[in-house]
Amino acid sequence: MTTEFTGQRPQTANLEDPLYYLSNMDTIVSWVADHHADLLTEREQTRLVAFADLATGPRALLTRMVMRTGELFRADKLLYPELPVPEAEALKLLVQEGWLDNSPELSLDDLFRLFTLAELRPVFGGWLHQQGHPKTLGKAQMRELLAEAFGEPRPLRHWLAEAVGEQAPEVVQLQDMALFDRIRLMFFGNLRQSWTDFVLVELGVQQFEPVAFTPESRAFQHRSEVDGYLQMHQCRERLDRGEPATEVLADVPGPVDNPWLTSRRDRLLLELGRQAERQGEQELALQVWAASGHREARLKQLRLLERMKRFDEAWAIACQWRTSELTDAEAQGLNRLLKRLAPKVGADKPEPVDNPTIREFTLTLPKPDTGTVELAALRHLGTDDAPVFYVENTLINALFGLLCWPVIFKPLPGAFFHPFHIGPADLTREDFVARRQQAFEEHFGLLKTHAYKQHILDTFQTKQGIANPFVFWPVLDEELLELALHCIPPRHLEALFRRLLTNIKEHRSGFPDLIRLVPDTEQPEQRYEMIEVKGPGDRLQDHQVRWLEFFAREGIPASVCYVRWQGDEASL
């Protein structure tokens, strides 16, 4: 096999074809064989060729099994009427070709997953009765009582032979599931996406921006990177199952020279530290958080040191960290920590942060029978001359996404490596902006001319419905965009967009609920106002406060509207 990059999008199957899923599997196998051959062993390449050479019926049945959960299946439950041959015939060939094992060893858990209570009672009822247990036990109770005595795996015939004899159904086990997981990973760059992404495209549920592919576009350049990803995925699954963090840590791969995989490793260590703390392994939690480069890890490390009353150690790390470049959230969390630690170590409290005043007002409204507090405020505040829209996080994000569409989908190495990306794989990585700095500056330059408005509106028309991590199409319409572009000064848009880029993961949320647009005023800076609505008992969240303080510093009109219901004043 050779590695060739055509830059063409793989075709999804027509859903009117009853074997559409096989066409999609054939596409993925072919794509990986063409684009990732150098990352496959000779045996893996041989197996993919063998898969392609299978007759349609066996290949389709194998594909169905690969796309289902687990590796063990009862032959009598594999019923697919669209197959061109009987299931039994396809199964026989797949066993002969080594794709299935028809005599796997089954654990007690496997047996209880595959068989019903009615089928299991004849197998274990006699033994349980001898132990003094009733024959009417439920499945979970039966499984618990059998666990110690039947802990060793054994073939199905050894489990069921005495009870059902020759009538025991056949159980088969997939033999190459690891290979199919590997090719899915190399195609999508993750194990979160699945074969059904093809179906979503064909149904029109999702459209994706076409991006050119090059050899550098691939998620993985070396086989060791694929192995490392799979190893980290297995570690995360073990954490999710509640395995001891000390055992999982032993299998976490070491640091890698790959920014994308490094970020995954940092997240894994963050979760491992959380698990360790929950399991009472505080020293281990401190160790892995210190090794993690995840944004949340340092604060978690410091807060745990504080709870352990190791104040001097926490203070030293915090003071050193204070000299680094911090996000707003990190700076806020660190300042609170330093304020608490200072008296514990005999140090002066840090100078209070001089935050600007957040504008606020109160509305007393009749309590509506239906609808949210935001909609109640919207109906009260909106007028024909100054309409109010419920936009929350959608409008500013969309304006940014439409302005910078070509930058977001710039085909940089490691950003796009399959045709079904909603956005670049490095979107929330710290080097996302640096890798595209010049392109962002060029598009921000449009804000200094009148060209940006038409550019955004043209993008809205030409990219309608195509997935973009900043654009939520259902709430957008051309009238709202035109009005917003008329009312929001370009210098405000630039300030908003630049802050958004300082921490995309955090700053895509926290925008006020409403925006009031005033198109006819002669005051350019007063043509709009963003309004965060809080109902009785509700309060501002930290990330909302940070946006509101930013608005105040930048002179961007924004306020908090506290809604009270008529008749409730007496109880206040």
Side-chain angles (χ1 to χ4, degrees):
M1 298 184 185
T2 58
T3 303
E4 298 176 357
F5 282 76
T6 63
Q8 297 178 350
R9 174 184 296 271
Q11 295 299 307
T12 55
N14 185 339
L15 295 184
E16 294 180 2
D17 176 5
L19 296 176
Y20 68 91
Y21 57 88
L22 177 58
S23 297
N24 289 337
M25 175 63 85
D26 288 343
T27 294
I28 289 183
V29 170
S30 175
W31 176 278
V32 171
D34 288 343
H35 294 73
H36 301 274
D38 58 315
L39 305 184
L40 297 168
T41 64
E42 184 176 347
R43 182 194 177 279
E44 289 167 344
Q45 295 184 45
T46 300
R47 290 305 278 167
L48 292 184
V49 170
F51 175 83
D53 289 342
L54 283 171
T56 300
R59 198 167 79 257
L61 180 57
L62 180 59
T63 297
R64 280 289 199 186
M65 296 169 74
V66 167
M67 292 181 175
R68 286 175 56 174
T69 301
E71 299 182 17
L72 291 164
F73 302 92
R74 284 177 56 160
D76 60 335
K77 301 296 185 183
L78 296 171
L79 304 174
Y80 298 107
E82 78 277 3
L83 297 183
V85 298
E87 291 87 351
E89 182 180 327
L91 281 170
K92 182 178 179 181
L93 189 141
L94 291 172
V95 171
Q96 290 174 352
E97 296 292 324
W99 294 101
L100 300 176
D101 177 5
N102 63 347
S103 58
E105 290 200 339
L106 307 180
S107 69
L108 188 67
D109 285 341
D110 295 330
L111 195 70
F112 271 65
R113 280 194 299 269
L114 292 166
F115 291 87
T116 67
L117 178 59
E119 292 170 319
L120 292 169
R121 273 183 176 155
V123 180
F124 299 109
W127 186 90
L128 287 167
H129 186 65
Q130 290 175 6
Q131 305 301 313
H133 300 293
K135 296 180 179 180
T136 56
L137 289 171
K139 199 173 183 182
Q141 293 174 298
M142 184 185 294
R143 162 70 187 83
E144 185 177 348
L145 292 169
L146 295 169
E148 185 175 347
F150 296 89
E152 293 298 320
R154 61 190 73 181
L156 179 64
R157 63 182 181 275
H158 292 172
W159 285 114
L160 303 183
E162 293 183 7
V164 295
E166 297 300 322
Q167 298 179 359
E170 185 178 47
V171 171
V172 294
Q173 183 174 30
L174 287 168
Q175 294 300 284
D176 287 271
M177 196 60 207
L179 173 59
F180 286 104
D181 282 341
R182 184 176 287 268
I183 66 172
R184 179 162 63 95
L185 172 58
M186 286 191 285
F187 182 83
F188 288 111
N190 61 70
L191 290 173
R192 182 185 66 259
Q193 288 179 279
S194 70
W195 324 101
T196 56
D197 283 60
F198 279 86
V199 179
L200 294 177
V201 174
E202 192 61 31
L203 287 172
V205 173
Q206 192 70 278
Q207 302 176 59
F208 298 90
E209 176 73 5
V211 178
F213 296 99
T214 68
E216 292 75 25
S217 298
R218 302 187 306 177
F220 307 99
Q221 298 300 323
H222 306 284
R223 183 177 176 85
S224 61
E225 295 173 344
V226 184
D227 294 339
Y229 186 107
L230 290 168
Q231 190 174 345
M232 286 189 283
H233 180 74
Q234 291 165 1
C235 288
R236 182 56 193 265
E237 287 185 323
R238 290 168 61 190
L239 287 177
D240 291 342
R241 291 195 297 266
E243 289 192 29
T246 51
E247 295 179 11
V248 177
L249 178 61
D251 293 323
V252 174
V256 291
D257 187 20
N258 178 314
W260 172 62
L261 290 176
T262 295
S263 67
R264 292 198 63 84
R265 183 176 182 274
D266 287 340
R267 285 199 297 274
L268 174 60
L269 291 176
L270 178 72
E271 292 304 318
L272 199 150
R274 286 172 172 160
Q275 183 88 307
E277 185 180 20
R278 286 193 294 267
Q279 295 173 345
E281 298 282 352
Q282 293 181 322
E283 291 297 336
L284 179 60
L286 293 173
Q287 173 191 338
V288 295
W289 282 336
S292 173
H294 194 280
R295 289 185 182 277
E296 297 178 29
R298 187 60 59 86
L299 268 178
K300 288 189 174 297
Q301 178 194 17
L302 292 174
R303 287 167 180 160
L304 179 54
L305 285 170
E306 182 185 19
R307 288 194 295 274
M308 295 171 69
K309 303 189 184 307
R310 289 160 60 170
F311 304 123
D312 290 331
E313 189 176 347
W315 178 263
I317 296 173
C319 289
Q320 182 180 13
W321 188 33
R322 185 169 47 175
T323 62
S324 306
E325 186 174 342
L326 305 175
T327 67
D328 291 348
E330 289 171 330
Q332 183 185 61
L334 180 61
N335 187 65
R336 289 172 177 171
L337 186 81
L338 288 169
K339 186 176 179 180
R340 294 195 303 269
L341 287 175
K344 305 288 179 56
V345 298
D348 294 331
K349 288 187 178 181
E351 291 294 324
V353 178
D354 186 18
N355 292 320
T357 301
I358 296 173
R359 293 169 52 193
E360 57 185 48
F361 64 97
T362 300
L363 284 180
T364 302
L365 303 174
K367 190 171 185 178
D369 294 331
T370 60
T372 64
V373 65
E374 292 86 0
L375 291 178
L378 181 152
R379 287 190 289 266
H380 179 83
L381 295 171
T383 66
D384 292 340
D385 295 332
V388 177
F389 301 86
Y390 186 11
V391 294
E392 201 170 11
N393 299 313
T394 59
L395 179 61
I396 301 303
N397 275 301
L399 291 170
F400 169 79
L402 294 171
L403 176 71
C404 297
W405 194 290
V407 189
I408 295 166
F409 291 98
K410 192 176 179 64
L412 296 178
F416 299 95
F417 30 82
H418 64 74
F420 305 114
H421 277 283
I422 291 176
D426 62 341
L427 181 66
T428 57
R429 248 182 30 214
E430 293 189 6
D431 61 347
F432 172 77
V433 176
R435 299 177 71 201
R436 300 161 176 83
Q437 190 71 60
Q438 182 177 349
F440 274 124
E441 295 302 331
E442 290 171 0
H443 281 75
F444 287 165
L446 295 174
L447 294 168
K448 296 177 172 56
T449 72
H450 293 294
Y452 76 95
K453 295 182 181 180
Q454 195 59 49
H455 175 83
I456 287 175
L457 292 172
D458 288 345
T459 304
F460 173 78
Q461 291 295 336
T462 59
K463 301 298 184 181
Q464 190 69 223
I466 296 176
N468 180 309
F470 297 95
V471 180
F472 185 59
W473 291 106
V475 302
L476 286 183
D477 61 57
E478 193 165 7
E479 180 184 1
L480 172 60
L481 287 179
E482 288 180 343
L483 196 57
L485 290 170
H486 175 70
C487 293
I488 305 175
R491 74 175 188 85
H492 288 184
L493 289 176
E494 182 173 357
L496 292 166
F497 296 166
R498 289 190 181 280
R499 183 176 191 268
L500 178 62
L501 287 179
T502 59
N503 187 341
I504 290 173
K505 183 177 180 180
E506 177 187 327
H507 295 164
R508 274 191 293 181
S509 63
F511 288 98
D513 301 303
L514 310 178
I515 187 166
R516 175 163 47 195
L517 299 173
V518 190
D520 295 330
T521 180
E522 297 299 321
Q523 303 291 330
E525 303 294 301
Q526 299 176 12
R527 284 181 173 166
Y528 78 106
E529 180 184 16
M530 291 188 279
I531 305 168
E532 175 63 29
V533 180
K534 292 298 178 186
D538 199 2
R539 64 181 182 84
L540 292 170
Q541 299 177 42
D542 282 347
H543 67 307
Q544 294 173 326
V545 170
R546 292 191 288 269
W547 265 117
L548 290 163
E549 290 174 347
F550 171 81
F551 298 149
R553 285 193 296 270
E554 295 292 328
I556 293 174
S559 58
V560 182
C561 170
Y562 290 99
V563 174
R564 300 290 178 261
W565 303 126
Q566 290 177 1
D568 289 351
E569 297 93 331
S571 61
L572 295 178

